[in-house]
Amino acid sequence: MKKNIEELFDLEGKVVIVTGGAMGIGKAIAIRLAEAGASIVIADLVAEKEAESTLHEIRHKGGEVTYLQVDLSNSKNLQKVIDSTLKIYGDIHILVNNAGIYRYVSVLELTEELWDKTLNLNLKSVAFLSQLAANAMIAKKHGGKIINISSIDSLKPSGNLAQYDSSKGGVRMLTKAFAKEVGKFGITVNDIAPGGVNTPGVHKVSGNNVSKEELEASEKQIDQFMKSLPLARMGEPEDIANAALFLASDASNYMTGSTVVVDGGLLLM
Ligand SMILES: NC(=O)c1ccc[n+]([C@@H]2O[C@H](COP(=O)([O-])OP(=O)(O)OC[C@H]3O[C@@H](n4cnc5c(N)ncnc54)[C@H](O)[C@@H]3O)[C@@H](O)[C@H]2O)c1
């Protein structure tokens, strides 16, 4: 039966896991999907207190949310995320793999430690949390949606991010490989490739090991670059959350294995 627009974007009764939902892009996604009626489980490294504004905003709008403090870079913790979600809400319909880290370093100075840390979170946790979530969806026989947050760096390296770019390139291919196998169970798998987005993580890496003057200069440089984009601004977390709502909703039911680029035109430069 043809759905009207309200029904198409209605996530009432859906249970969604958002990794890295305490702040930044994950926060905006958690809030937006809660606004559409979904019950949200946020799985994030930081203490619940640091996620207070996210939890407050969801609950203040009448939404349902549970917070799980967990280090997803340790694969032993992934099953706990699934078990807790099933215990609390009895189901999983949508998984948003958003948690990720990015550190700037020349490929000539890249350490094995940073490589492992980045790949363990950005790629390995995405693979195995998706596997667990997909098996839970299959057991419930209702299909589902997996949304991975990749990056435009998976399409074009921006420099000094070899370990990150490799992880995100992996996420984009994992999306396609996964999509090919789980489509027959009614599960779609897509990724969103954001460009530069205004988040705490971006401000933190700009401020790493630099003086106040250097930080101001680098933020000014970023600002100037963003103004030169076709859409002449940096992305906001909500820009990515709106694409996630589309991929989480029935409006995207015939899409799988796709990358949705949300970059203000950065790749056209
Ligand atoms: N901000 C951008 O410009 C941009 C661009 C392209 C892609 N992305 C991607 O979007 C995603 C979110 O980025 P952001 O800028 O919002 O980052 P952010 O640093 O602002 O937030 C990341 C969140 O992930 C959590 N996290 C970090 N390590 C974790 C771990 N080991 N286990 C569980 N949670 C952990 C953090 O606590 C935080 O809440 C990342 O995958 C990032 O690579 C961001």
Side-chain angles (χ1 to χ4, degrees), residues 21-114:
M23 62 191 85
I25 291 172
K27 172 182 178 174
I29 292 174
I31 293 170
R32 181 72 347 160
L33 301 190
E35 284 168 349
S39 298
I40 310 290
V41 174
I42 293 176
D44 197 294
L45 181 66
V46 297
E48 184 161 347
K49 206 165 166 288
E50 287 184 58
E52 223 167 60
S53 84
T54 312
L55 303 177
H56 175 76
E57 192 167 337
I58 291 174
R59 289 177 184 140
H60 183 69
K61 289 175 173 162
E64 170 61 35
V65 61
T66 294
Y67 191 79
L68 304 175
Q69 186 184 4
V70 58
D71 180 358
L72 298 166
S73 64
N74 181 345
S75 54
K76 291 196 181 84
N77 295 332
L78 302 178
Q79 185 72 53
K80 283 185 225 161
V81 176
I82 302 295
D83 290 348
S84 303
T85 304
L86 291 174
K87 193 167 165 214
I88 298 165
Y89 295 112
D91 216 333
I92 301 167
H93 301 91
I94 299 164
L95 168 65
V96 184
N97 285 303
N98 161 78
I101 48 168
Y102 36 95
R103 300 280 177 272
Y104 290 99
V105 63
S106 160
V107 71
L108 300 176
E109 285 157 25
L110 175 63
T111 61
E112 191 177 341
E113 190 192 355
L114 181 59

Side-chain angles (χ1 to χ4, degrees), residues 19-27 42-46 50 67-68 70-74 97-103 117 121-122 125 149-153 164 167-168 192-204 226 234-235 237 240:
T19 71
M23 62 191 85
I25 291 172
K27 172 182 178 174
I42 293 176
D44 197 294
L45 181 66
V46 297
E50 287 184 58
Y67 191 79
L68 304 175
V70 58
D71 180 358
L72 298 166
S73 64
N74 181 345
N97 285 303
N98 161 78
I101 48 168
Y102 36 95
R103 300 280 177 272
K117 198 174 165 193
L121 178 64
N122 294 15
S125 84
I149 307 301
S150 58
S151 168
I152 49 156
D153 267 60
Y164 176 76
S167 73
K168 294 298 186 176
I192 300 172
V197 183
N198 193 4
T199 65
V202 164
H203 292 292
K204 201 163 117 196
M226 290 299 164
M234 194 164 193
I240 312 306

